Amino acid sequence: MPAMIKELITKTRSYRRFDESRAITRDELLEFVDCARLSASAGNRQPLKFILSSHPATNEKIFPHLRWAAYLKDWPGPAIGERPTGYIIILGDTTVHPAFECDHGIAAQSIMLAATEKGLGGCMIASITRDTLRAALNIAPTLEILLVLALGRPAETVIVESVPPSGDIRYWRDDEQRHHVPKRSLDELIVG
Amino acid sequence: MPAMIKELITKTRSYRRFDESRAITRDELLEFVDCARLSASAGNRQPLKFILSSHPATNEKIFPHLRWAAYLKDWPGPAIGERPTGYIIILGDTTVHPAFECDHGIAAQSIMLAATEKGLGGCMIASITRDTLRAALNIAPTLEILLVLALGRPAETVIVESVPPSGDIRYWRDDEQRHHVPKRSLDELIVG
């Protein structure tokens, strides 16, 4: 097998502006969730459930409940014409188990990597107005809203760079709207 | 890019017995952590730190603090000769941020996929005797122990199968010591 996972991970950036001419099919979303299904789960309990959206009408129902890019104070999120064309909402089923450990992180990474492979991309969003999203989609109270994965064909440039000497890890946009993401060095992360 | 992420995810099972003749180098572990480094992090805070172990002496220090395979009541964990040949301990640095969301799940999945690509495998272990592991490795109190990834060349067969009608998701071993893992169906996971 050729060494490609690092290339795929490197390409899997957080994208927040999309080319709406690229629709996503429900079959594609199902294939991504199947990748999550086959991933590890704490105690093999598999407590995650998923809501899929690939139609403009349900996409529009989801969008208002998401908060985008906390560090970009002047940017309210993607404008009409550059919004996600699909979503996967990751839920924790409390009737299976009350806690979800980091299962949703494992699942989300599997999904985002599978999306990258299909020429898609997106953003894992945890900053959600949960009450209103729950009401909008009529999500059962036994299902905890963990993450919303916003998906589409990326329509922006994301540049990974080193954290500056100030230590500031906030992402930022330059005058050409390129998105810069400071990442800590490997040396900083290794403590033993 | 050929469709391979699903194949890689399918091969990335939880392995608990290893071929100790396959050593792991520190450079390999660094490469795996670099994949975690390039993965998503909540608010781009990047609060995770990592301890690497690829030497028999440090591997032996880590092993006693791990609890293996809760559902296999008669199996205390891998015997001498079939133990992990490397570990990556994922820590949360509370001086960066007090909470780690599901960052360690994202990081762990990136690492395990990179390990699979190198012919390695292993197990994400959250059932850890944290106090004694902290003492054994002299881990600073500001670092929360989140997960231990046990790694090596897998020396067991893992079979993914459907959850039986009883709904029992506990993994089990047959008479030939093959490890069976019941996975829920895609239909069961999709709620909308």
Side-chain angles (χ1 to χ4, degrees), chain A residues 4-6 13 34 37-39 43-46 50 71 109-110 117 169 182-184 189 191, chain B residues 4-6 13 34 37-39 43-46 50 71 109-110 117 169 182-184 189 191-192:
Chain A
M4 58 70 61
I5 186 66
K6 189 170 185 181
R13 309 284 18 116
D34 207 35
R37 183 181 79 84
L38 292 164
S39 301
N44 198 40
R45 290 186 291 264
Q46 308 163 68
F50 302 85
Y71 300 136
Q109 182 66 342
S110 288
E117 195 176 61
I169 50 68
K183 283 289 188 189
R184 301 187 193 282
L189 305 190
V191 297
Chain B
M4 58 67 62
I5 185 65
K6 189 171 184 180
R13 309 282 20 113
D34 206 35
R37 182 180 80 84
L38 293 164
S39 301
N44 198 41
R45 289 186 293 263
Q46 310 163 69
F50 301 85
Y71 300 137
Q109 182 65 342
S110 288
E117 196 175 61
I169 48 69
K183 283 288 188 189
R184 301 187 193 281
L189 304 190
V191 296

Side-chain angles (χ1 to χ4, degrees), chain A:
Chain A
M1 185 177 294
M4 58 70 61
I5 186 66
K6 189 170 185 181
E7 181 189 337
L8 198 64
I9 288 171
T10 302
K11 284 177 73 172
T12 304
R13 309 284 18 116
S14 293
Y15 293 105
R16 297 175 178 84
R17 291 184 296 159
F18 304 94
D19 170 3
E20 289 192 27
S21 72
R22 165 63 160 96
I24 298 179
T25 66
R26 186 170 175 91
D27 279 349
E28 285 179 314
L29 297 179
L30 285 168
E31 184 66 15
F32 300 160
V33 173
D34 207 35
C35 287
R37 183 181 79 84
L38 292 164
S39 301
S41 168
N44 198 40
R45 290 186 291 264
Q46 308 163 68
L48 302 181
K49 296 286 195 289
F50 302 85
I51 291 174
L52 314 182
S53 174
S54 55
H55 290 102
T58 50
N59 290 344
E60 271 182 41
K61 275 192 184 178
I62 294 168
F63 180 81
H65 314 287
L66 308 177
R67 289 190 290 266
W68 294 83
Y71 300 136
L72 305 179
K73 299 297 180 195
D74 298 331
W75 188 70
I80 290 174
E82 58 181 21
R83 289 187 176 166
T85 53
Y87 294 95
I88 294 174
I89 303 176
I90 305 182
L91 307 160
D93 188 340
T94 58
T95 69
V96 174
H97 200 75
F100 312 106
E101 313 294 339
C102 62
D103 274 21
H104 46 309
I106 299 167
Q109 182 66 342
S110 288
I111 289 169
M112 299 312 278
L113 292 170
T116 299
E117 195 176 61
K118 293 284 184 192
L120 299 169
C123 194
M124 304 180 193
I125 301 178
S127 193
I128 306 159
T129 313
R130 286 178 168 73
D131 287 353
T132 57
L133 177 62
R134 183 182 298 284
L137 297 185
N138 200 20
I139 297 173
T142 52
L143 297 171
E144 192 176 314
I145 299 170
L146 298 172
L147 283 175
V148 175
L149 309 185
L151 297 164
R153 180 158 62 195
E156 63 180 354
T157 299
V158 175
I159 298 163
V160 173
E161 54 197 25
S162 301
V163 173
S166 68
D168 192 345
I169 50 68
R170 290 177 295 179
Y171 44 77
W172 56 283
R173 289 207 186 138
D174 63 27
D175 291 344
E176 289 161 20
Q177 294 303 304
R178 289 175 301 204
H179 188 89
H180 294 252
V181 180
K183 283 289 188 189
R184 301 187 193 282
S185 70
L186 192 54
D187 272 358
E188 184 180 350
L189 305 190
I190 306 293
V191 297

Side-chain angles (χ1 to χ4, degrees), chain B residues 93-113:
Chain B
D93 188 341
T94 58
T95 69
V96 173
H97 200 73
F100 312 105
E101 313 295 338
C102 61
D103 273 20
H104 47 308
I106 299 166
Q109 182 65 342
S110 288
I111 289 169
M112 298 312 277
L113 292 170

